Amino acid sequence: MTTPGPRHPTISYLVHRGVLIGIVLTITLSTGFLVLSAAADLQLWVISAIQAARDEWTSWNWSLW
Amino acid sequence: MPYLLAFIAALVALYVLVWLTVAAVMWFLIPALLIVLPIGLLAGVFWGCTVPLLTLTGLRGWQPRTITAQDVKQGTSNLPKLRQGSPFGRDPAWPSYLVAQSRVDLREMWRRTLRTLGVGWGKCRKLGDQWDNPVGWAVLVIVLGPTWLMVSVGALGATAMILLLCLSALLAMITGWLLVAGLLRGGDHLVRWLRRASGSCQSCYYVSSLPAFPCARCGEMHRDIRPGLLGAVWRRCICGALLPTTVLRAAFQLQTSCPNCLEPLRAGAAVHRDVRLPVFGPVSAGKTRLVYAGLLALRDQAAAAGASVDFTDEQSKRAFEHGVEIISTGSDTAKTPAGQLPTAITAQVTVARRKALLHLFDAAGEFYIDRGDNSELLFLDHAQGLVFVVDPFSIPWVQDQLGGRGQVMLARANAAVDDPEQVYHVTAGRLRDYGVQTSNQRLAIAVVKADLLVDLPPAQDLRPDRVREWLQEAGLDNLVLAAERDFAEVRYFVVASVHSARAGSPMSPANPFAWLMARAGLQLLPGEPDPTKQTEEAA
């Protein structure tokens, strides 16, 4: 009497997963957009941080001598 | 002196070493970390977004375990346990994504992220084992470790954020789903409650407001089709067929079945009002004839009032046609087989736009003679009213009154042998034993074979409005007393189970049924038949 049913996800599963995929994609793209738009600032921050570290070293270095 | 020089040289060397180390850290390591760590963090965020995406899409074989209808059937679907602890478990249908699969998917996203990060940490450890020297360990602890830590922080943060947002979206969807399921379930229940709908099995006599529905494609039985965890508007059977969820919708699209014996129920069961009327009395009292003549008269009465009485199932149709033939030709009714439980004759009564199912149960008289024989007559327990058939020719007082014509008349009337009072007490005792509240039920006592009795001396005082008094006079005063004590309401009828007793007449065989139907909320005519009133009008 029992007919083995399909083992693959139903349309309802796929639709709901589609919604979740949409959410994940939105978050991913939003994060990507934020990172790209802030890339220049980030680069500046990294460069200034490196510069600050080196300046610190220079002042310390001379005081050592 | 040489020792002093050596000490000074060592101090200088140490100083140079420290200087070089600090220079390396400040000039190379810190700038490198300032570049690598944010990049690691961003990579982690990207990975934390990618893993859920890959998990949901099933790419790279990362698809979570699918909760199928088979899991629901086997009880491995993580659905909450059934409250009533049904012995049959859940129906073989796919669960709603929101209640089972969504949890698996979210859990798998988090686990997969943890697993991939764990693989990275494992590789770091392996590298540390391979570089079994201080420089290698330093690279591992100072560069690789912090970098992968940032990747992990970014990935876990991003996955947590995604899970939080997905959870919020799922909660919103669950709220909507609950609203739809609740409205459908409540509406379905309300309509059926207002109609006082229930499904009674014509075979095993089980009465339930929730029938079972076999899938039209695979035949798998769905015992609780109502909106719930297996679907709000539709549910998908284990075979893939789409089934409606409410009883009202399912009853129109699927075969309704008895949840007890799985026999198909009559069309309209559990959707329309269900009226169950057993007819009981001694052997040869005239029960079957009363049922046939009563149904025929009810049909005529309904037609005259613009209503209809139809027989939708083949079994009932055949029984009715057979009954019509017997009543129309005036031939004798065959003896109902003793020991064989009766199958209900079901009529669909339509009054205006309202429909109801009328089930008449007619068991052989042998069942009512002995208390031990009627335990299987479960239809007595679920009846809204009962018809007790009294054969006047079985009353000793009537037999005495008949005098010399007695034997001829008794043979002609095929008189019942058993005492009606005994039959009544056996049946009433059975009802009490099975916990039936007879004080809430109605009893129609029908004195039948009036067509044979009407011109004879014992029937001199037998009029539709004086049946009670006539029974008392005939020596059945104890029966009258017991019936009125046991039942909420007792009405007395004198009935001629013949075709000439027209519908609506004081001796119509439809009268006991019409009265009980009206009391059960199924009024066939604007005013229920009142023999007293009709006799006065006739007079």
Side-chain angles (χ1 to χ4, degrees):
Chain A
M1 194 138 171
T2 306
T3 313
R7 301 285 303 175
H8 53 264
T10 61
I11 293 170
S12 163
Y13 277 27
L14 296 179
V15 168
H16 283 97
R17 273 187 182 152
V19 173
L20 295 187
I21 288 169
I23 291 168
V24 177
L25 269 178
T26 309
I27 294 168
T28 309
L29 292 176
S30 306
T31 311
F33 177 75
L34 276 175
V35 169
L36 284 178
S37 59
D41 294 339
L42 197 69
Q43 194 181 357
L44 269 179
W45 179 83
V46 170
I47 289 169
S48 61
I50 292 169
Q51 195 56 50
R54 284 177 176 171
D55 289 348
E56 188 64 26
W57 160 247
T58 310
S59 61
W60 186 53
N61 178 34
W62 287 121
S63 68
L64 277 178
W65 290 111
Chain B
M1 190 62 184
Y3 290 109
L4 187 65
L5 286 175
F7 178 70
I8 291 167
L11 267 181
V12 170
L14 183 68
Y15 182 84
V16 170
L17 189 68
V18 170
W19 188 88
L20 283 172
T21 309
V22 174
V25 168
M26 297 301 272
W27 274 90
F28 299 109
L29 188 62
I30 289 179
L33 286 177
L34 279 170
I35 293 167
V36 169
L37 292 185
I39 289 174
L41 187 73
L42 288 176
V45 170
F46 176 73
W47 188 239
C49 294
T50 309
V51 170
L53 213 57
L54 292 174
T55 308
L56 285 172
T57 50
L59 295 172
R60 290 176 63 101
W62 284 3
Q63 196 162 24
R65 180 176 83 94
T66 304
I67 305 287
T68 63
Q70 200 69 38
D71 291 313
V72 173
K73 198 177 174 187
Q74 289 166 352
T76 54
S77 61
N78 296 329
L79 287 176
K81 280 183 182 171
L82 285 170
R83 234 182 296 171
Q84 291 146 351
S86 162
F88 305 106
R90 290 197 180 277
D91 291 340
W94 285 74
S96 167
Y97 177 84
L98 299 170
V99 295
Q101 188 64 45
S102 62
R103 284 187 290 161
V104 175
D105 285 0
L106 293 187
R107 212 162 35 220
E108 185 62 23
M109 283 189 234
W110 183 251
R111 276 186 190 163
R112 187 63 69 179
T113 308
L114 285 180
R115 209 172 299 159
T116 49
L117 291 174
V119 169
W121 283 111
K123 280 185 178 169
C124 284
R125 203 171 151 187
K126 202 180 273 181
L127 279 176
D129 290 344
Q130 284 173 355
W131 300 335
D132 198 11
N133 56 64
V135 178
W137 272 101
V139 170
L140 187 69
V141 172
I142 296 169
V143 181
L144 280 181
T147 307
W148 194 249
L149 183 70
M150 292 308 282
V151 171
S152 301
V153 168
L156 290 177
T159 308
M161 179 60 72
I162 281 171
L163 288 180
L164 200 69
L165 286 170
C166 286
L167 201 64
S168 309
L170 284 172
L171 283 176
M173 285 192 266
I174 285 172
T175 309
W177 173 81
L178 276 175
L179 203 69
V180 172
L183 277 174
L184 277 174
R185 191 167 171 145
D188 184 52
H189 182 78
L190 184 70
V191 170
R192 290 186 295 119
W193 179 76
L194 288 173
R195 288 180 181 175
R196 291 188 211 166
S198 55
S200 52
C201 180
Q202 67 282 353
S203 303
C204 74
Y205 317 126
Y206 185 78
V207 178
S208 164
S209 59
L210 190 60
F213 294 94
C215 172
R217 191 193 288 177
C218 69
E220 276 285 349
M221 202 57 76
H222 292 253
R223 293 178 177 274
D224 188 355
I225 200 91
R226 292 174 300 174
L229 301 178
L230 302 183
V233 183
W234 300 94
R235 70 161 53 174
R236 193 169 287 281
C237 179
I238 194 166
C239 69
L242 212 56
L243 308 177
T245 49
T246 57
V247 174
L248 291 173
R249 285 160 59 223
F252 285 105
Q253 295 179 34
L254 304 169
Q255 169 69 57
T256 317
S257 294
C258 171
N260 186 45
C261 69
L262 303 183
E263 276 289 306
L265 296 179
R266 307 289 198 217
V271 172
H272 303 309
R273 185 183 294 259
D274 208 58
V275 180
R276 300 170 288 275
L277 303 178
V279 178
F280 72 102
V283 179
S284 288
K287 299 182 294 298
T288 307
R289 202 173 185 85
L290 175 66
V291 168
Y292 289 156
L295 282 173
L296 183 60
L298 274 176
R299 191 196 61 177
D300 295 346
Q301 198 164 325
S308 68
V309 173
D310 302 303
F311 299 87
T312 50
D313 64 288
E314 270 308 309
Q315 208 172 11
S316 300
K317 202 181 283 181
R318 274 203 307 274
F320 178 70
E321 282 165 2
H322 176 64
V324 168
E325 196 184 324
I326 286 174
I327 300 299
S328 306
T329 57
S331 51
D332 288 337
T333 316
K335 165 85 184 73
T336 308
Q340 188 179 320
L341 287 167
T343 302
I345 300 178
T346 305
Q348 190 181 68
V349 182
T350 311
V351 183
R353 287 170 61 192
R354 290 171 56 204
K355 285 184 179 174
L357 294 182
L358 169 68
H359 306 278
L360 296 184
F361 297 90
D362 170 31
E366 286 84 351
F367 279 112
Y368 302 105
I369 296 167
D370 187 16
R371 171 67 190 82
D373 292 334
N374 58 22
S375 58
E376 290 174 316
L377 304 184
L378 299 176
F379 55 82
L380 292 170
D381 307 339
H382 305 292
Q384 285 100 328
L386 295 102
V387 180
F388 179 46
V389 178
V390 177
D391 180 359
F393 294 98
S394 69
I395 304 171
W397 179 81
V398 173
Q399 292 171 359
D400 292 344
Q401 295 265 314
L402 288 174
R405 297 164 65 190
Q407 289 308 314
V408 180
M409 285 311 298
L410 292 183
R412 196 176 150 201
N414 189 22
V417 179
D418 301 303
D419 179 16
E421 205 170 313
Q422 183 206 344
V423 168
Y424 171 81
H425 285 299
V426 165
T427 310
R430 186 229 181 269
L431 291 172
R432 276 194 298 273
D433 291 350
Y434 279 73
V436 178
Q437 295 284 322
T438 51
S439 55
N440 295 333
Q441 280 196 328
R442 290 167 184 86
L443 178 71
I445 296 183
V447 176
V448 294
K449 303 182 184 177
D451 49 311
L452 300 175
L453 190 68
V454 74
D455 295 326
L456 299 173
Q460 210 169 9
D461 295 328
L462 181 59
R463 295 199 307 273
D465 59 332
R466 282 186 47 81
V467 179
R468 183 177 181 274
E469 289 75 13
W470 184 85
L471 285 171
Q472 285 175 320
E473 198 181 337
L476 294 181
D477 44 343
N478 279 337
L479 171 69
V480 171
L481 201 68
E484 290 179 357
R485 182 195 59 211
D486 292 339
F487 285 85
E489 198 177 352
V490 181
R491 185 68 69 90
Y492 301 88
F493 298 88
V494 58
V495 168
S497 302
V498 289
H499 194 48
S500 54
R502 305 301 300 174
S505 74
M507 289 192 188
S508 167
N511 289 346
F513 302 111
W515 175 68
L516 287 172
M517 284 160 66
R519 284 290 186 268
L522 177 59
Q523 196 140 7
L524 204 57
L525 296 172
E528 64 167 273
D530 188 342
T532 315
K533 200 180 280 180
Q534 286 166 348
T535 312
E536 282 164 5
E537 282 167 8

